[in-house]
Amino acid sequence: VGGGPGSMDRTRLGGKLMNVSDPPTPDSFYAASKLHNEDIGKLYSKVWKNFEVVSLRIGWVLYDDPTELKDTEFETYLRSMFLSRRDCIGFCKAALTAPIPPEDDGYLCVYALSNNSQRVFDLDETVEKLGYQPQDSADDFEWGTS
Protein backbone atom coordinates (compact mmCIF):
# COMPACT_ATOMS: atom_id res chain seq x y z
CA VAL A 1 0.00 0.00 0.00
CA GLY A 2 1.43 3.28 -0.95
CA GLY A 3 0.36 6.63 -2.17
CA GLY A 4 3.22 7.83 -4.34
CA PRO A 5 4.66 7.16 -7.76
CA GLY A 6 7.20 4.75 -6.24
CA SER A 7 4.28 2.41 -5.60
CA MET A 8 3.91 1.87 -9.34
CA ASP A 9 7.30 0.15 -9.62
CA ARG A 10 6.34 -3.34 -10.77
CA THR A 11 9.79 -4.67 -9.86
CA ARG A 12 8.91 -4.36 -6.15
CA LEU A 13 7.10 -7.70 -6.31
CA GLY A 14 9.18 -9.34 -9.00
CA GLY A 15 6.74 -8.24 -11.70
CA LYS A 16 3.63 -9.84 -10.21
CA LEU A 17 0.51 -7.93 -9.28
CA MET A 18 0.11 -7.02 -5.61
CA ASN A 19 -2.63 -8.82 -3.67
CA VAL A 20 -4.30 -7.58 -0.50
CA SER A 21 -2.76 -10.58 1.28
CA ASP A 22 0.79 -9.36 0.47
CA PRO A 23 2.53 -7.76 3.46
CA PRO A 24 1.95 -4.00 3.30
CA THR A 25 4.91 -1.68 3.00
CA PRO A 26 3.67 1.88 3.41
CA ASP A 27 5.77 4.46 1.61
CA SER A 28 4.31 7.55 3.29
CA PHE A 29 2.52 8.69 6.44
CA TYR A 30 -0.65 8.81 4.34
CA ALA A 31 -0.27 5.13 3.40
CA ALA A 32 0.49 4.21 7.02
CA SER A 33 -2.66 6.04 8.16
CA LYS A 34 -4.77 4.10 5.66
CA LEU A 35 -3.39 0.82 7.03
CA HIS A 36 -4.15 1.99 10.56
CA ASN A 37 -7.77 2.61 9.58
CA GLU A 38 -7.98 -0.87 8.05
CA ASP A 39 -6.83 -2.24 11.42
CA ILE A 40 -9.59 -0.26 13.16
CA GLY A 41 -12.05 -1.94 10.79
CA LYS A 42 -10.65 -5.35 11.77
CA LEU A 43 -11.03 -4.44 15.45
CA TYR A 44 -14.72 -3.59 15.02
CA SER A 45 -15.52 -6.58 12.80
CA LYS A 46 -13.24 -9.46 13.78
CA VAL A 47 -12.53 -8.73 17.46
CA TRP A 48 -15.53 -6.88 18.83
CA LYS A 49 -17.95 -8.36 16.28
CA ASN A 50 -19.90 -5.06 16.17
CA PHE A 51 -20.48 -5.01 12.43
CA GLU A 52 -19.07 -6.07 9.09
CA VAL A 53 -16.46 -3.88 7.42
CA VAL A 54 -15.27 -3.65 3.84
CA SER A 55 -12.07 -1.64 3.34
CA LEU A 56 -11.84 -0.38 -0.22
CA ARG A 57 -8.34 0.52 -1.34
CA ILE A 58 -9.50 2.98 -3.95
CA GLY A 59 -7.62 4.30 -6.93
CA TRP A 60 -7.50 7.84 -8.20
CA VAL A 61 -10.98 9.28 -8.87
CA LEU A 62 -10.20 12.77 -10.08
CA TYR A 63 -10.82 13.03 -13.77
CA ASP A 64 -13.53 12.07 -16.22
CA ASP A 65 -10.76 12.14 -18.80
CA PRO A 66 -7.46 11.01 -17.25
CA THR A 67 -5.51 12.25 -20.26
CA GLU A 68 -5.69 15.70 -18.65
CA LEU A 69 -2.44 14.59 -16.97
CA LYS A 70 -0.82 13.35 -20.18
CA ASP A 71 2.88 14.18 -20.38
CA THR A 72 3.08 15.20 -16.71
CA GLU A 73 4.97 13.56 -13.87
CA PHE A 74 1.66 11.97 -12.80
CA GLU A 75 0.78 10.17 -16.04
CA THR A 76 2.26 6.78 -15.15
CA TYR A 77 0.67 6.85 -11.70
CA LEU A 78 -2.73 7.81 -13.10
CA ARG A 79 -2.63 5.18 -15.84
CA SER A 80 -2.08 2.60 -13.12
CA MET A 81 -4.44 3.95 -10.45
CA PHE A 82 -7.31 5.40 -12.54
CA LEU A 83 -10.74 4.66 -11.09
CA SER A 84 -13.63 5.95 -13.17
CA ARG A 85 -16.63 7.42 -11.41
CA ARG A 86 -18.77 4.59 -12.81
CA ASP A 87 -16.42 1.96 -11.40
CA CYS A 88 -16.13 3.82 -8.09
CA ILE A 89 -19.92 3.76 -7.73
CA GLY A 90 -19.99 0.10 -8.78
CA PHE A 91 -17.40 -0.89 -6.19
CA CYS A 92 -19.11 1.14 -3.45
CA LYS A 93 -22.52 -0.40 -4.18
CA ALA A 94 -20.96 -3.87 -4.22
CA ALA A 95 -19.15 -3.21 -0.92
CA LEU A 96 -22.46 -2.20 0.67
CA THR A 97 -24.45 -5.16 -0.65
CA ALA A 98 -22.13 -8.14 -1.15
CA PRO A 99 -22.30 -10.78 1.56
CA ILE A 100 -19.02 -11.24 3.40
CA PRO A 101 -18.10 -14.93 3.30
CA PRO A 102 -17.95 -16.63 6.72
CA GLU A 103 -14.25 -17.45 6.24
CA ASP A 104 -13.52 -13.70 6.15
CA ASP A 105 -14.95 -13.29 9.66
CA GLY A 106 -16.81 -10.05 8.98
CA TYR A 107 -13.95 -8.16 7.30
CA LEU A 108 -12.88 -7.67 3.69
CA CYS A 109 -10.08 -5.60 2.25
CA VAL A 110 -10.14 -5.22 -1.53
CA TYR A 111 -8.75 -3.00 -4.27
CA ALA A 112 -11.05 -0.70 -6.24
CA LEU A 113 -9.48 0.34 -9.56
CA SER A 114 -10.66 0.44 -13.11
CA ASN A 115 -9.37 -2.35 -15.33
CA ASN A 116 -6.14 -0.57 -16.30
CA SER A 117 -3.48 -2.59 -18.11
CA GLN A 118 -0.74 -0.76 -16.18
CA ARG A 119 -2.19 -1.39 -12.72
CA VAL A 120 0.02 -3.04 -10.10
CA PHE A 121 -2.83 -4.36 -7.96
CA ASP A 122 -4.59 -7.66 -8.62
CA LEU A 123 -8.36 -7.26 -8.95
CA ASP A 124 -9.23 -10.98 -9.10
CA GLU A 125 -10.01 -11.29 -5.38
CA THR A 126 -12.00 -8.05 -5.45
CA VAL A 127 -14.14 -9.25 -8.35
CA GLU A 128 -14.62 -12.66 -6.70
CA LYS A 129 -15.56 -11.29 -3.27
CA LEU A 130 -17.65 -8.27 -4.31
CA GLY A 131 -19.05 -9.57 -7.57
CA TYR A 132 -18.30 -6.31 -9.39
CA GLN A 133 -16.22 -6.31 -12.57
CA PRO A 134 -14.74 -2.89 -13.48
CA GLN A 135 -16.25 -1.53 -16.68
CA ASP A 136 -13.69 1.12 -17.57
CA SER A 137 -9.95 1.47 -18.09
CA ALA A 138 -7.42 4.26 -18.49
CA ASP A 139 -6.62 2.43 -21.73
CA ASP A 140 -10.01 3.47 -23.13
CA PHE A 141 -8.73 7.02 -23.61
CA GLU A 142 -6.59 8.49 -26.39
CA TRP A 143 -3.15 8.99 -24.84
CA GLY A 144 -1.26 9.40 -28.10
CA THR A 145 2.47 8.85 -28.07
CA SER A 146 4.62 10.44 -25.44
Side-chain angles (χ1 to χ4, degrees):
V1 173
S7 302
M8 302 304 100
D9 182 0
R10 291 181 174 198
T11 61
R12 276 186 9 171
L13 295 170
K16 78 177 193 78
L17 295 176
M18 184 181 289
N19 291 297
V20 291
S21 59
D22 291 328
T25 307
D27 59 4
S28 66
F29 288 121
Y30 175 66
S33 72
K34 292 189 294 184
L35 291 169
H36 174 75
N37 286 322
E38 289 175 11
D39 286 341
I40 296 292
K42 290 175 195 170
L43 176 67
Y44 277 101
S45 60
K46 291 178 169 266
V47 177
W48 291 345
K49 311 273 189 217
N50 292 94
F51 42 80
E52 296 179 332
V53 173
V54 176
S55 294
L56 287 176
R57 293 180 177 176
I58 63 169
W60 205 3
V61 189
L62 293 178
Y63 299 94
D64 291 326
D65 180 355
T67 62
E68 290 181 36
L69 292 182
K70 180 182 174 211
D71 296 327
T72 71
E73 63 184 302
F74 304 107
E75 180 180 339
T76 301
Y77 184 79
L78 180 56
R79 289 177 84 158
S80 174
M81 297 298 290
F82 176 68
L83 175 59
S84 70
R85 292 174 193 211
R86 175 170 62 169
D87 285 338
C88 185
I89 291 167
F91 281 120
C92 289
K93 283 182 179 178
L96 290 168
T97 59
I100 296 179
E103 65 269 15
D104 289 314
D105 201 23
Y107 180 81
L108 283 180
C109 181
V110 293
Y111 293 115
L113 303 168
S114 290
N115 197 25
N116 311 315
S117 66
Q118 294 186 29
R119 72 181 187 279
V120 295
F121 301 114
D122 190 338
L123 293 175
D124 290 345
E125 185 176 3
T126 300
V127 171
E128 176 188 328
K129 301 271 184 171
L130 295 184
Y132 178 76
Q133 176 70 46
Q135 305 298 303
D136 300 313
S137 170
D139 306 328
D140 297 338
F141 296 88
E142 181 59 47
W143 291 89
T145 55
S146 298

